[in-house]
Amino acid sequence: MFSEKLQFSRERLEFLYSVGLLVLIPILVVANTLILIVAIRGDFDTELRRKAALANAVIAESVKPNLDDATAMQAQVDSYVKANQELRQVSIAVPDDGQRFRVVASTDLQTVGAANADFQMLAVASSKKTVAQDIDAGNGERFWSVISPVVAGSGSGVQAVISTQVSSKQADALIGGTLLRSLGVVAATVLIIVLLLLNHFKFVQYALLFRKLKEVDQLKNDFLSVATHELRAPMTVIKGNIENLVDGITGTVDERGKESLLTMSAETDRLNSLVNDLLNVSRLEQGKMSYNMEIVDAREVVEKLVKQFTAKAEDKGLTISYVSPPEPDLVNVDRGRLIEIMTNLIDNAIKYSRQGTVVVSHKDTPESVRVSVRDTGIGISAAARERLFSRFYRVQTDQTKGIPGTGLGLWIIKQYIEHMQGKISVDSLEGVGTEFVVEFPRTQQEKLSEQLQEKQQDKPHEKTPEEPQA
């Protein structure tokens, strides 16, 4: 119960984490962009203010020699405004009395000669310091208004006051264009991030699903392992009792009863084979299958199996033959697994052939041992061959309906073969027959000799009995 709650809490945290990322990251990207734009706007404003102050300083220095010549100052104002389109208004005023200033030159000619009692001018005259102010014109245009004093010398009083207005229209247009491009990039970035996060959310779901599937698969393997172990014992008992009845050890039965018992025995063998297949599947999937590798003469193993299957083939009206190579075919394999592999292939060849022959032969190369099992059976279609070595897959046709099988045998032997560094291939034509070829790397004769010597050394030395003393 605690583990289930812990698992639920973990899944919930992963879900909340994904949702949090989905919301937080786009917000951070947008916030970072807006902060950057605000900072850029502030830098532009600072630069405009500095530019306006610089313009005032330049005008002040240029008009100092002409403070008594209003015409010359007006000409200078006109030239400055003409040269700099950002200068919207420039005016020069001189003290008229203690409380007012008189405009002597201006971009607005109607104000020339007029008295001005502006508080900012008075403040600049008294403090001898420049004053700057950001003004909104109301039509979407902003100005930096800068008022600066004109002082002839360090000890002199204020001889004039210069007022300029620098437009921020060009800067605002530039910032606006940058803002639109930035927002477009941000929108595309946010969209990509959201898509990636949604993908991440899917990956989290897939990871959870994969984890659950893995747990279910493990439970399935555990169940198969336990169930197959538990089934083998009662089947062994059933098989033994049937054989005892057939042999008359535990009682006598008539011929009809023996036939029934033999049928039961055959079905028990079939069930036992299924249990063994399921147990092998579980071991293979869990990596618990053991292999006792040794150097084996494949020719010897295959020849014995062909002899064992001769009676079964003849009962079905088939001819089975083995074409043996002249020299030993040595391979480094697990002998028991090799027997299982060849048993499965020869049994299938007989099972799926209604007439004709089953030929077991060798197609060896100098580097490999290649054992072929060819039949004249019903054959396999190209589509079926693609899935032939899959678990639980069986070719489903009208001709295979009555043939028993689990679809596990070929998958199991393929795992055996690949683990022992071998390969298996199939070639088939419907209505003509099928050929399976199993291939293993060839082992040299010298290695077999070394293996035999090692076995001899591993045997305990027998002591020669001492002769009795006379």
Side-chain angles (χ1 to χ4, degrees):
M1 189 68 178
F2 175 75
S3 60
E4 291 179 359
K5 289 183 178 179
L6 184 63
Q7 179 70 18
F8 175 74
S9 300
R10 186 183 303 164
E11 293 176 3
R12 196 163 141 196
L13 284 174
E14 290 175 348
F15 174 78
L16 293 176
Y17 172 73
S18 300
V19 173
L21 286 179
L22 191 62
V23 174
L24 183 61
I25 292 181
I27 289 176
L28 289 176
V29 171
V30 173
N32 180 68
T33 304
L34 293 178
I35 291 171
L36 183 62
I37 291 173
V38 170
I40 292 174
R41 185 183 290 275
D43 292 340
F44 266 97
D45 286 345
T46 302
E47 182 63 21
L48 283 174
R49 178 178 176 179
R50 189 189 67 80
K51 188 174 183 179
L54 180 61
N56 276 21
V58 171
I59 294 173
E61 289 300 320
S62 63
V63 300
K64 277 183 182 180
N66 304 314
L67 287 175
D68 296 331
D69 189 348
T71 303
M73 286 191 290
Q74 183 64 47
Q76 287 179 331
V77 167
D78 293 339
S79 65
Y80 280 126
V81 173
K82 186 177 181 180
N84 193 339
Q85 296 180 355
E86 293 181 349
L87 284 175
R88 287 291 186 268
Q89 184 176 342
V90 179
S91 64
I92 303 173
V94 296
D96 192 16
D97 54 36
Q99 299 297 325
R100 291 188 303 173
F101 285 83
R102 179 170 51 85
V103 178
V104 294
S106 176
T107 52
D108 186 2
L109 298 178
Q110 295 180 358
T111 61
V112 175
N116 194 335
D118 184 71
F119 173 77
Q120 288 186 337
M121 286 187 176
L122 294 174
V124 168
S126 63
S127 64
K128 297 181 181 180
K129 293 181 179 180
T130 299
V131 174
Q133 183 181 7
D134 187 11
I135 300 174
D136 189 354
N139 58 354
E141 188 175 5
R142 296 183 305 118
F143 297 94
W144 270 103
S145 175
V146 181
I147 303 175
S148 302
V150 179
V151 181
S154 59
S156 305
V158 174
Q159 295 176 306
V161 173
I162 298 175
S163 174
T164 60
Q165 288 184 355
V166 178
S167 173
S168 63
K169 186 175 182 178
Q170 292 182 356
D172 287 343
L174 183 61
I175 292 174
T178 303
L179 176 61
L180 288 176
R181 290 192 296 273
S182 300
L183 290 177
V185 172
V186 169
T189 305
V190 169
L191 179 62
I192 293 172
I193 291 174
V194 168
L195 291 176
L196 289 175
L197 289 174
L198 288 174
N199 246 0
H200 168 77
F201 187 68
K202 287 184 180 178
F203 288 149
V204 170
Q205 290 180 320
Y206 291 153
L208 294 175
L209 181 60
F210 176 75
R211 188 183 302 161
K212 289 179 179 178
L213 288 175
K214 196 172 181 182
E215 291 174 357
V216 171
D217 193 54
Q218 184 61 42
L219 288 173
K220 180 262 295 180
N221 287 335
D222 294 341
F223 170 77
L224 283 177
S225 181
V226 173
T228 49
H229 275 294
E230 293 299 321
L231 284 171
R232 293 179 79 180
M235 282 193 301
T236 303
V237 175
I238 294 170
K239 177 74 173 176
N241 285 315
I242 291 173
E243 290 177 350
N244 289 338
L245 282 170
V246 172
D247 295 338
I249 298 174
T250 57
T252 58
V253 292
D254 56 18
E255 290 302 320
R256 187 175 179 183
K258 283 186 179 181
E259 289 180 4
S260 298
L261 289 173
L262 291 174
T263 302
M264 292 168 61
S265 179
E267 291 302 313
T268 304
D269 289 338
R270 180 181 166 193
L271 182 58
N272 190 50
S273 176
L274 172 60
V275 169
N276 287 333
D277 284 347
L278 292 174
L279 183 60
N280 287 334
V281 168
S282 177
R283 288 173 177 170
L284 286 167
E285 287 184 339
Q286 298 181 61
K288 294 181 179 179
M289 183 64 71
S290 60
Y291 296 85
N292 182 24
M293 305 296 286
E294 59 178 320
I295 297 175
V296 176
D297 184 359
R299 180 183 62 176
E300 175 190 343
V301 172
V302 176
E303 188 173 11
K304 287 182 179 179
L305 288 173
V306 171
K307 289 179 180 179
Q308 292 174 10
F309 277 98
T310 299
K312 184 176 182 178
E314 290 176 350
D315 288 343
K316 200 173 179 183
L318 302 173
T319 301
I320 184 169
S321 61
Y322 175 56
V323 182
S324 176
E327 299 294 334
D329 273 348
L330 302 180
V331 289
N332 187 26
V333 295
D334 183 310
R335 180 184 291 271
R337 305 299 175 212
L338 180 60
I339 292 173
E340 287 185 55
I341 293 166
M342 298 312 303
T343 297
N344 182 282
L345 294 178
I346 297 173
D347 186 58
N348 280 349
I350 296 172
K351 189 188 300 182
Y352 290 97
S353 296
R354 295 181 176 178
Q355 60 184 3
T357 60
V358 175
V359 179
V360 183
S361 61
H362 289 249
K363 296 184 176 181
D364 301 333
T365 67
E367 295 80 21
S368 63
V369 173
R370 304 173 77 244
V371 183
S372 163
V373 179
R374 188 177 72 253
D375 62 59
T376 56
I378 59 178
I380 307 168
S381 67
R385 289 201 301 272
E386 296 290 329
R387 301 177 56 194
L388 193 60
F389 294 100
S390 302
R391 279 183 302 175
F392 300 104
Y393 177 75
R394 296 196 65 216
V395 178
Q396 300 294 335
T397 65
D398 293 337
Q399 295 174 305
T400 62
K401 284 182 179 179
I403 302 175
T406 61
L408 290 172
L410 289 177
W411 181 84
I412 291 173
I413 67 170
K414 187 174 187 290
Q415 307 306 309
Y416 290 163
I417 293 169
E418 291 179 349
H419 186 88
M420 296 187 293
Q421 310 304 315
K423 294 184 290 185
I424 183 171
S425 60
V426 59
D427 188 17
S428 184
L429 190 63
E430 288 184 282
V432 177
T434 303
E435 180 182 26
F436 284 90
V437 177
V438 178
E439 179 179 352
F440 289 106
R442 183 182 294 278
T443 303
Q444 300 303 321
Q445 181 70 36
E446 292 76 8
K447 292 188 178 181
L448 177 60
S449 301
E450 293 174 4
Q451 176 179 292
L452 292 174
Q453 289 177 4
E454 289 176 0
K455 287 184 177 180
Q456 291 294 331
Q457 292 174 359
D458 291 340
K459 290 182 179 180
H461 297 287
E462 297 180 0
K463 294 183 179 181
T464 305
E466 298 181 0
E467 294 182 0
Q469 295 181 357

